[in-house]
C-alpha cells in the first residue's frame, strides 16, 4: 500500500471519529435545548392558564383578558398568539389575527406531557379555562399557538453552529495532522527514499525511532554494498591466482600512459612447455609454478612499472626504459635468463623457458589493442624461432605476418581449387624390402611447391587443417583401395599424419567412420601417425579417442619420438604400435653419445613390444649402425625421397621384383 493511501485512510478514520464525537455533542445539546424549550413552554402554558383563571374569577369580564394575553405575546417571541373559544366558537384573538381553530389532530390536549415533536408539529396547545359568573360555571378553551418557524430556526441555528464548529475542528485537525505527518513522517521518508536512491546524503535528526532505524539499516547496507562493489571491482582487475593485475587492469594503466603520451614497452611473456608441465604433474603444480614465476617477475620490474597476468601462462610487463635499443635487448636477455632456470616445486625439478614478444609505444601501435596484438604476434614469432628467445616487433615481423595472412587466403582458395597433392616416401624393412610408405602433403600453388612446414602451422591456427586433414585421409584410403586390385602392391601400407588440431574436432571420429564406410579400404594397410602433443593436450580424451581408433583396426605410429616432453609416459599409458625415432637422433649416430641415445630408445621399444622406424636415414653408414642396433623399419633419402604416386609405384614394383 502506498503511503498516501495509508494517510488518506488514517485521515478518514480521524474524520469518522470526530464526526461521531461532534454528532454526539450536537445530539446532547439538541436534547438539552429541547428540554429547556419544553419546560419553558410548559411554564408559559401553566402560567397562562393560572393567570387567565385567576383574572377571570376576579373580574368576571372575559374581554378584560385580551390585553394581558397581548402583553404576553409581545414579551415571548416564541408565542404566535392566543385564541379564546367557547363552545367551539371564537371569542377573541390575541397576537396573530390569522390564527384559526385547528383540527383536533393538530391540537395538543395534555400539556403535562409535551415532547419536542409536539412543539414542532402540533399547531396549538389547548388550556381549558373555568370560572364562575353569578355562581354559574363558565367553560372556555384557550388555544396557544407557538411560532414554529422560530422554533425551527433555533434548532437550525444549533445545527449550523455545530456544523461550522465541525468544519473548524476538522480543518484544524487536518492542518495539525498534515503538519505532523509531513514533518515527522513524509519529509523523513522522502529523505530516506532519496538516500536509498543515492540522490542525497544520509539524513540527520529523524525523530521517529523506527524511521531512524531504517535509515541506519540502509546506511549499513550501503556500506556493505560499497565494500562488495569495491571487492568486485578489484576482482575484475585482479588475477585470482597471483593477485597481480589482469587484462582489465593492464588496459586501464596502459591507457593512462597513452593519454599522457609516455613512451613505454609492452613485453608479452609466454612460458614454453607449460602445458606439458600442467598435464604431466597436474594443475596444482602448474599453479605453484605460475606463482613462483610471478614472484620472480615482481623482483624484475621497477617500482613504477607494471606486471600483469592475462592468461594461463601469459604475463605482460610494461617497462619504461625503451629509448636505447641495446639496453632494452640486454634487459630482455637478462629476463630470458632468469626465466630459463630450474624451478623446484614440491620437490619436483621443473625445466622451462619463455618466449617473449615486445612492442614499443608509439612506434608499434597507438592503442592498447594494437600494441597487445603486435606483442602477441612478436611472441609467436619467438616461438617459431625455437622458443627461449625474444622478438621486438618491427617492419620485418609485420611483413612476415602480412605474408602469413596472404598465405592463409591463398590456402583457402587452394582447398577450393584442389591444389594439394600427396607424395609417398617408401618405408623398408631390415632386408631393405619395401613394406609401405608415408603420405606427405604438398601444395602445388601457382608460385610453385609450398613446403608443409610453412602452410601447416597456418592451417592449424586458422582451423583449415581439419578440412585439409579430411582430404588427406580420403586420398589415402582411396589409394589403399586401388592397390587391393594390384597383386604386387596390395600388401603395402600407407601412414597418414593427423594434426592435434584435427583430432581436437568433435566430428573427427565420425568423419573417419564415414570415409571407411564410403571407401571400404583394407584397414590393416592404414597407419595413423600422431605426435606426442596429440596425447598430451588432453590425456583422458586422447586415451579414449585412441582406443576407439584402434578398435576400428588402425595401427598407431608415434612420430618424432624423443623431441617432446613426456615420451616415456606416452609409451606407458597409450597403446602405441610403432615408435618413429626422430631424424635429429639419427643425425647424431656417428658419435658415441648419439648412438647410445638411439640404442636406449630401440631397447626400450623392444621391451615394450613396439616396432621402431628410423626417420631421415641418409647414408649407408647410418643404415649399418641402425641394423646393428636393431631398428625394424627405415625411411629416408638414402632409399628414396617422397615421390609422386606414379614414381612411387615404379620404385615399389622394382624393389619388390628384385
Amino acid at each position: 500500500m502506498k503511503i498516501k493511501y495509508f494517510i488518506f485512510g488514517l485521515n478518514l478514520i480521524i474524520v469518522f471519529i470526530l464526526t461521531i464525537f461532534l454528532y454526539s455533542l450536537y445530539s446532547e445539546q439538541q436534547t438539552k435545548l429541547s428540554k429547556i424549550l419544553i419546560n419553558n413552554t410548559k411554564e408559559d402554558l401553566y402560567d397562562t392558564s393560572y393567570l387567565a383563571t385567576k383574572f377571570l374569577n376576579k373580574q368576571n369580564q372575559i374581554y378584560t383578558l385580551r390585553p394581558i394575553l397581548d402583553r404576553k405575546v409581545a414579551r415571548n417571541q416564541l408565542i404566535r398568539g392566543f385564541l379564546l373559544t367557547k363552545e367551539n366558537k371564537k371569542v377573541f384573538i390575541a397576537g396573530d389575527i390569522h390564527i384559526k381553530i385547528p383540527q383536533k389532530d393538530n391540537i395538543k390536549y395534555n400539556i403535562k406531557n409535551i415532547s419536542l415533536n409536539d412543539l414542532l408539529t402540533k399547531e396549538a396547545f389547548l388550556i381549558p379555562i373555568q370560572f364562575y359568573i353569578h355562581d354559574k360555571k363558565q367553560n372556555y378553551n384557550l388555544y396557544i399557538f407557538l411560532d414554529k418557524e422560530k422554533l425551527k430556526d433555533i434548532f437550525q441555528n444549533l445545527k449550523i453552529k455545530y456544523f461550522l464548529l465541525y468544519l473548524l475542528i476538522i480543518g484544524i485537525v487536518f492542518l495539525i495532522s498534515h503538519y505532523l505527518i509531513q514533518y515527522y513522517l513524509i519529509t523523513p521518508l522522502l529523505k530516506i527514499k532519496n538516500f536509498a536512491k543515492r540522490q542525497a546524503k544520509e539524513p540527520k535528526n529523524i525523530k521517529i525511532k523506527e524511521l531512524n532505524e531504517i535509515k541506519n539499516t540502509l546506511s549499513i547496507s550501503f556500506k556493505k554494498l560499497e565494500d562488495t562493489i569495491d571487492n568486485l571491482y578489484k576482482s575484475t582487475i585482479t588475477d585470482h591466482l597471483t593477485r597481480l593485475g589482469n587484462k582489465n587492469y593492464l588496459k586501464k594503466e596502459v591507457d593512462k600512459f597513452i593519454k599522457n603520451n609516455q613512451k613505454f614497452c609492452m613485453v608479452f611473456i609466454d612460458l614454453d612447455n607449460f602445458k606439458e608441465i600442467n598435464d604431466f604433474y597436474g594443475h596444482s603444480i602448474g599453479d605453484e609454478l605460475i606463482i613462483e614465476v610471478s614472484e620472480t617477475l615482481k623482483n624484475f620490474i621497477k617500482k613504477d612499472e607494471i606486471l600483469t597476468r592475462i592468461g594461463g601462462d601469459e604475463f605482460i610487463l610494461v617497462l619504461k626504459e625503451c629509448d636505447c635499443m641495446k639496453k632494452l635487448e640486454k634487459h630482455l636477455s637478462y629476463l630470458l635468463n632468469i626465466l630459463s632456470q630450474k624451478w623446484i616445486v614440491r620437490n619436483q625439478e621443473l625445466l622451462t623457458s619463455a618466449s617473449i614478444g615486445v612492442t614499443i609505444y608509439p612506434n608499434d601501435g597507438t592503442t592498447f589493442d594494437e600494441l597487445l596484438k603486435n606483442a602477441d604476434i612478436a611472441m609467436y614469432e619467438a616461438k617459431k624461432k625455437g622458443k627461449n628467445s625474444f622478438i621486438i616487433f618491427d617492419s620485418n615481423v609485420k611483413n612476415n605476418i602480412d605474408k602469413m595472412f596472404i598465405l592463409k587466403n591463398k590456402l583457402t582458395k587452394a582447398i577450393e581449387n584442389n591444389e594439394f597433392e600427396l607424395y609417398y616416401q617408401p618405408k623398408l624393412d631390415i632386408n631393405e624390402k619395401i613394406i609401405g610408405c608415408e603420405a606427405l602433403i604438398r601444395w602445388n600453388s601457382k608460385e610453385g611447391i609450398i613446403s608443409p612446414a610453412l602452410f601447416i602451422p597456418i592451417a592449424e591456427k586458422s582451423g583449415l587443417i581439419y578440412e585439409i586433414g579430411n582430404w588427406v585421409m580420403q586420398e589415402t584410403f582411396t589409394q589403399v583401395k586401388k592397390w587391393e586390385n594390384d597383386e604386387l602392391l596390395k600388401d603395402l601400407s600407407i601412414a597418414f599424419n593427423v594434426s592435434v588440431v584435427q583430432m581436437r574436432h568433435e566430428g573427427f571420429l565420425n568423419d573417419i567412420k564415414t570415409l571407411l564406410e564410403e571407401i571400404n579400404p583394407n584397414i590393416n594397410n592404414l597407419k595413423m601417425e600422431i605426435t606426442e602433443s596429440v596425447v598430451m593436450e588432453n590425456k583422458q580424451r586422447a586415451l579414449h579417442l585412441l582406443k576407439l581408433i584402434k578398435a576400428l583396426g588402425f595401427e598407431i605410429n608415434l612420430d618424432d619420438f624423443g623431441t617432446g616432453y613426456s615420451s616415456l609416459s606416452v609409451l606407458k599409458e597409450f597403446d602405441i604400435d610403432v615408435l618413429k625415432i626422430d631424424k635429429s637422433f639419427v643425425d647424431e649416430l656417428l658419435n658415441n653419445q648419439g648412438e647410445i641415445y638411439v640404442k636406449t630408445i630401440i631397447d626400450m621399444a623392444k621391451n615394450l613390444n613396439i616396432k621402431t622406424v628410423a626417420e631421415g636415414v641418409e647414408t649407408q653408414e647410418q643404415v649399418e649402425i641402425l641394423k646393428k642396433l636393431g631398428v625394424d623399419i627405415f625411411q629416408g633419402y638414402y632409399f628414396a625421397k617422397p615421390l609422386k604416386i606414379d614414381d612411387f609405384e615404379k620404385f615399389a614394383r622394382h624393389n619388390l621384383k628384385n
Side-chain angles (χ1 to χ4, degrees):
M1 178 187 291
K2 290 187 177 180
I3 191 167
K4 63 179 181 180
Y5 297 137
F6 171 76
I7 293 171
F8 179 74
L10 184 63
N11 285 331
L12 281 180
I13 294 171
I14 293 172
V15 169
F16 180 73
I17 294 171
L18 284 173
T19 302
I20 293 173
F21 174 70
L22 288 173
Y23 183 76
S24 65
L25 286 178
Y26 166 73
S27 298
E28 184 180 351
Q29 191 66 26
Q30 188 183 48
T31 302
K32 288 181 179 179
L33 181 60
S34 299
K35 286 181 179 180
I36 292 170
L37 289 173
I38 290 169
N39 291 333
N40 289 340
T41 301
K42 284 182 179 182
E43 287 179 5
D44 281 336
L45 292 174
Y46 285 127
D47 184 57
T48 301
S49 175
Y50 173 74
L51 286 174
T53 303
K54 181 179 179 183
F55 184 81
L56 289 173
N57 282 327
K58 286 182 179 182
Q59 299 296 328
N60 293 324
Q61 291 292 325
I62 194 67
Y63 288 100
T64 58
L65 180 62
R66 183 174 182 176
I68 296 172
L69 295 176
D70 283 335
R71 286 194 296 274
K72 200 166 188 65
V73 171
R75 287 197 303 270
N76 194 334
Q77 293 180 354
L78 293 178
I79 298 175
R80 182 181 169 196
F82 294 92
L83 173 62
L84 185 67
T85 65
K86 183 178 182 180
E87 297 177 354
N88 209 27
K89 290 181 181 181
K90 186 189 306 182
V91 177
F92 67 79
I93 297 173
D96 189 351
I97 61 174
H98 299 293
I99 57 179
K100 298 177 181 179
I101 297 172
Q103 298 291 327
K104 289 183 178 181
D105 293 340
N106 291 328
I107 299 171
K108 179 67 177 179
Y109 294 97
N110 183 10
I111 64 171
K112 291 181 180 180
N113 186 18
I114 298 175
S115 67
L116 179 62
N117 185 58
D118 295 333
L119 291 177
L120 297 175
T121 60
K122 296 301 180 180
E123 191 173 347
F125 295 87
L126 177 62
I127 302 174
I129 298 175
Q130 295 177 350
F131 65 96
Y132 294 87
I133 299 177
H134 306 298
D135 297 326
K136 187 178 180 180
K137 186 178 181 180
Q138 302 293 319
N139 291 313
Y140 286 84
N141 287 328
L142 180 63
Y143 294 94
I144 300 176
F145 292 84
L146 298 179
D147 192 338
K148 291 182 174 53
E149 294 301 322
K150 287 187 177 179
L151 282 171
K152 289 179 180 178
D153 287 344
I154 290 172
F155 286 103
Q156 186 66 28
N157 290 335
L158 179 66
K159 187 182 292 184
I160 291 171
K161 173 187 172 184
Y162 270 89
F163 181 71
L164 292 175
L165 179 63
Y166 171 75
L167 291 179
L168 178 63
I169 292 174
I170 291 295
I172 292 172
V173 168
F174 263 107
L175 287 174
I176 294 173
S177 66
H178 176 75
Y179 172 77
L180 293 176
I181 290 171
Q182 192 71 31
Y183 182 78
Y184 287 100
L185 187 62
I186 301 296
T187 301
L189 281 175
L190 287 174
K191 288 181 179 179
I192 292 172
K193 176 185 174 183
N194 292 330
F195 176 55
K197 288 184 175 181
R198 313 308 295 273
Q199 295 175 351
K201 294 181 179 179
E202 181 180 347
K204 305 293 183 183
N205 301 322
I206 294 177
K207 306 296 182 183
I208 299 177
K209 180 182 177 182
E210 288 76 5
L211 293 182
N212 199 52
E213 288 175 353
I214 292 172
K215 182 264 296 182
N216 291 337
T217 302
L218 276 174
S219 181
I220 293 169
S221 298
F222 287 154
K223 181 65 174 62
K224 290 181 179 178
L225 181 61
E226 287 172 0
D227 292 341
T228 302
I229 291 172
D230 186 54
N231 291 333
L232 285 173
Y233 174 71
K234 287 179 180 177
S235 69
T236 63
I237 62 171
T238 306
D239 173 55
H240 71 281
L241 178 63
T242 61
R243 311 315 297 169
L244 299 174
N246 60 14
K247 189 175 180 180
N248 293 331
Y249 173 78
L250 175 67
K251 184 179 186 308
K252 186 183 73 169
E253 294 301 313
V254 168
D255 286 344
K256 287 181 185 177
F257 285 169
I258 293 173
K259 185 177 180 180
N260 296 330
N261 200 26
Q262 185 175 355
K263 191 172 184 179
F264 63 88
C265 303
M266 184 179 285
V267 181
F268 195 125
I269 301 172
D270 184 272
L271 299 182
D272 298 328
N273 305 320
F274 178 73
K275 180 167 181 49
E276 286 85 348
I277 293 173
N278 239 357
D279 290 338
F280 186 75
Y281 293 104
H283 287 276
S284 59
I285 295 289
D287 287 347
E288 290 191 35
L289 175 60
I290 290 295
I291 293 171
E292 290 288 334
V293 172
S294 68
E295 292 299 320
T296 300
L297 292 174
K298 284 179 187 177
N299 296 326
F300 175 78
I301 63 170
K302 295 180 180 178
K303 186 177 181 180
D304 56 347
E305 294 178 330
I306 298 169
L307 166 62
T308 60
R309 179 184 179 226
I310 66 167
D313 61 337
E314 296 175 338
F315 296 86
I316 299 288
L317 309 182
V318 178
L319 309 179
K320 290 188 175 180
E321 294 184 1
C322 306
D323 294 326
C324 178
M325 194 58 66
K326 287 186 177 180
K327 286 185 178 179
L328 176 60
E329 290 176 353
K330 184 178 180 181
H331 205 40
L332 294 172
S333 296
Y334 174 68
L335 177 60
L336 282 176
N337 186 52
I338 63 173
L339 292 176
S340 303
Q341 59 169 288
K342 293 180 181 179
W343 305 88
I344 307 299
V345 178
R346 295 189 194 175
N347 297 322
Q348 298 288 345
E349 187 177 278
L350 308 178
L351 295 173
T352 187
S353 57
S355 298
I356 298 175
V358 183
T359 49
I360 301 174
Y361 173 82
N363 305 19
D364 305 324
T366 56
T367 66
F368 169 79
D369 290 334
E370 191 177 4
L371 289 165
L372 184 63
K373 180 193 72 174
N374 291 338
D376 189 17
I377 289 170
M379 184 273 293
Y380 273 105
E381 286 294 300
K383 289 273 188 193
K384 289 195 291 184
K385 185 179 175 182
K387 303 180 181 179
N388 193 25
S389 61
F390 65 84
I391 295 289
I392 300 175
F393 189 86
D394 58 14
S395 58
N396 291 330
V397 175
K398 187 176 185 306
N399 290 336
N400 289 338
I401 298 304
D402 291 341
K403 288 178 182 177
M404 287 177 62
F405 182 76
I406 294 169
L407 193 61
K408 176 189 170 184
N409 291 335
K410 288 182 178 180
L411 193 58
T412 303
K413 293 180 180 178
I415 296 172
E416 297 172 359
N417 299 332
N418 197 25
E419 295 178 6
F420 294 107
E421 182 181 5
L422 287 183
Y423 279 55
Y424 301 87
Q425 187 170 29
K427 290 182 179 180
L428 295 91
D429 62 14
I430 195 73
N431 298 315
E432 299 187 18
K433 285 294 181 180
I434 189 167
I435 58 171
C437 60
E438 179 182 359
L440 300 167
I441 192 170
R442 297 292 184 265
W443 178 8
N444 295 319
S445 73
K446 295 178 181 178
E447 290 81 12
I449 300 294
I450 298 178
S451 168
L454 185 60
F455 73 81
I456 290 297
I458 298 174
E460 287 182 329
K461 195 169 184 180
S462 64
L464 294 172
I465 191 65
Y466 185 70
E467 195 171 348
I468 294 172
N470 279 354
W471 178 86
V472 170
M473 289 194 298
Q474 184 176 15
E475 290 294 307
T476 304
F477 293 5
T478 302
Q479 190 58 57
V480 167
K481 184 66 177 177
K482 287 179 181 179
W483 284 345
E484 288 178 14
N485 298 320
D486 190 313
E487 193 63 31
L488 197 61
L489 304 178
K490 66 179 182 180
D491 293 326
L492 294 182
S493 64
I494 301 180
F496 60 95
N497 291 279
V498 175
S499 162
V500 61
V501 180
Q502 185 183 356
M503 285 191 74
R504 194 186 298 150
H505 197 282
E506 291 183 359
F508 174 68
L509 189 62
N510 286 334
D511 288 340
I512 294 177
K513 290 179 179 179
T514 300
L515 288 173
L516 289 175
E517 290 174 3
E518 291 176 355
I519 301 171
N520 193 28
N522 181 2
I523 201 166
N524 293 324
N525 289 337
L526 287 168
K527 321 292 183 185
M528 183 183 293
E529 291 202 2
I530 62 173
T531 60
E532 289 180 11
S533 58
V534 169
V535 295
M536 291 308 298
E537 187 178 66
N538 186 327
K539 281 188 177 182
Q540 295 303 318
R541 182 181 181 278
L543 183 61
H544 178 68
L545 184 60
L546 288 177
K547 283 182 179 179
L548 295 176
I549 291 171
K550 285 183 70 67
L552 294 175
F554 286 98
E555 181 184 275
I556 303 297
N557 294 3
L558 184 62
D559 200 4
D560 300 333
F561 182 81
T563 61
Y565 185 79
S566 55
S567 300
L568 291 176
S569 69
V570 172
L571 294 178
K572 181 180 178 182
E573 294 182 42
F574 294 86
D575 189 10
I576 303 299
D577 298 294
V578 176
L579 187 153
K580 298 188 74 174
I581 303 169
D582 189 70
K583 182 179 183 298
S584 60
F585 291 100
V586 174
D587 290 341
E588 299 295 323
L589 272 175
L590 298 183
N591 64 63
N592 290 335
Q593 191 83 20
E595 185 175 335
I596 291 171
Y597 284 150
V598 174
K599 185 178 188 306
T600 302
I601 293 172
I602 294 170
D603 290 343
M604 179 179 59
K606 287 186 180 298
N607 290 332
L608 295 172
N609 199 26
I610 297 174
K611 291 184 178 181
T612 53
V613 176
E615 289 186 296
V617 180
E618 295 180 349
T619 66
Q620 176 66 38
E621 193 173 1
Q622 288 175 338
V623 172
E624 296 302 325
I625 295 173
L626 289 168
K627 285 183 179 181
K628 181 184 71 173
L629 296 176
V631 167
D632 298 300
I633 302 168
F634 299 90
Q635 180 181 344
Y637 274 34
Y638 175 76
F639 301 100
K641 63 181 182 179
L643 304 168
K644 290 188 175 185
I645 186 61
D646 292 338
D647 294 333
F648 172 78
E649 288 180 349
K650 288 179 184 178
F651 176 88
R653 292 181 192 281
H654 180 267
N655 178 274
L656 291 171
K657 287 178 181 178
N658 293 333

